[in-house]
Every structure is written in C-alpha cells, then in structure tokens.
Amino acid sequence: MMSVTLRKYLFETALLTVLAAGLGVWIFHTMWPTLFLAHYVWMPVYFYVLGALLMAGVAKKSEEGRNAKRLVQAYLLARIVKLFVSVIAVVAFCLAVRTEVTVVVSAFVINYILYLVYDSWFFSRLGKKSEKEK
C-alpha cells in the first residue's frame, strides 16, 4: 500500500511537472521561437519518473526499518546514480534529436536544479516533521 508521504510527494511533483512543462514551453515559444525545443515537455516528465522511482526506493528502505544513517546514505547514492543517468540521457537526447546542444543542456540543468531544490525542500520538511513527532 502506498504511504501518505509517497502520495503527497507524487502529487506535489506532478504539479511541479505540469508547471515546469507549461512554463518552459511558454518561455521557449515566446522568448526564443527559433530555438524552440519541441521535445522540451519530456524533460519534466523524465524528472517526475526518476523522482517517483527514487522516492519509492527511499520509502521502501524506510519501511524496512533501517536506521536513519543508512537511509540517508541510500538516498544520497540514489541521487548520484540519478545524476549519472541524467548525463547519459542528455547525451542520448542530443544525439537522437540533433538539436542545439547548449539549449538542451541549459534546459536540462534548469530542470535538474528545480527538481533538486524541490526534493531538498520536501525531505527537509519531512525530516522536521519526524523530529517534532519524536
């Protein structure tokens, strides 16, 4: 069964994905129509899917009753793996679509930072909540 925390994370991340995709498409279309990245909407979707998988893994580890230090280590390891997978995904995307690399990398980095800030905020809020309960 899906925990309340996982559902909340997925819902908030879905909202972030819709906002990031809509705003990104609008910015590309309005400010740089010549550089419009037609496949931009897949970047926020990519981060949503990876975030959901990461959160599911972290939630599974927390249900197993592992200590907090091991949980943080597992989360940080998953973040590093996500970074390497993301670099591979950007290279594959640039090779497959054959578009301007700087535009793709810039959009990807902006999305990466956006989702990194959100994840950090979510987990810090979750940590503060669990400290209050103790």
Side-chain angles (χ1 to χ4, degrees):
M1 182 166 183
M2 194 181 307
S3 72
V4 173
T5 304
L6 182 56
R7 278 185 281 175
K8 186 173 186 176
Y9 176 82
L10 292 175
F11 177 74
E12 290 177 0
T13 308
L15 287 176
L16 178 64
T17 301
V18 169
L19 290 173
L23 187 61
V25 167
W26 179 78
I27 288 172
F28 270 115
H29 183 69
T30 304
M31 298 185 154
W32 299 289
T34 58
L35 296 177
F36 182 71
L37 189 57
H39 303 289
Y40 170 76
V41 294
W42 291 108
M43 286 184 195
V45 171
Y46 167 81
F47 283 108
Y48 177 76
V49 170
L50 277 183
L53 292 174
L54 178 69
M55 185 60 177
V58 170
K60 183 178 179 185
K61 293 287 183 192
S62 68
E63 287 174 0
E64 291 175 0
R66 300 194 184 233
N67 64 18
K69 186 177 180 181
R70 300 273 301 166
L71 184 63
V72 170
Q73 290 173 346
Y75 174 73
L76 292 175
L77 178 64
R79 298 292 309 178
I80 291 170
V81 169
K82 181 180 178 181
L83 177 64
F84 286 120
V85 168
S86 296
V87 169
I88 292 168
V90 167
V91 170
F93 182 82
C94 289
L95 291 174
V97 176
R98 303 218 189 262
T99 186
E100 183 68 31
V101 174
T102 55
V103 175
V104 173
V105 170
S106 298
F108 202 86
V109 166
I110 290 169
N111 275 285
Y112 190 86
I113 291 171
L114 178 71
Y115 282 86
L116 180 64
V117 167
Y118 171 73
D119 283 348
S120 299
W121 173 75
F122 182 85
F123 283 108
S124 70
R125 187 179 64 178
L126 188 63
K128 288 178 185 176
K129 182 180 175 186
S130 68
E131 284 180 8
K132 284 182 182 179
E133 290 175 356
K134 288 181 181 180

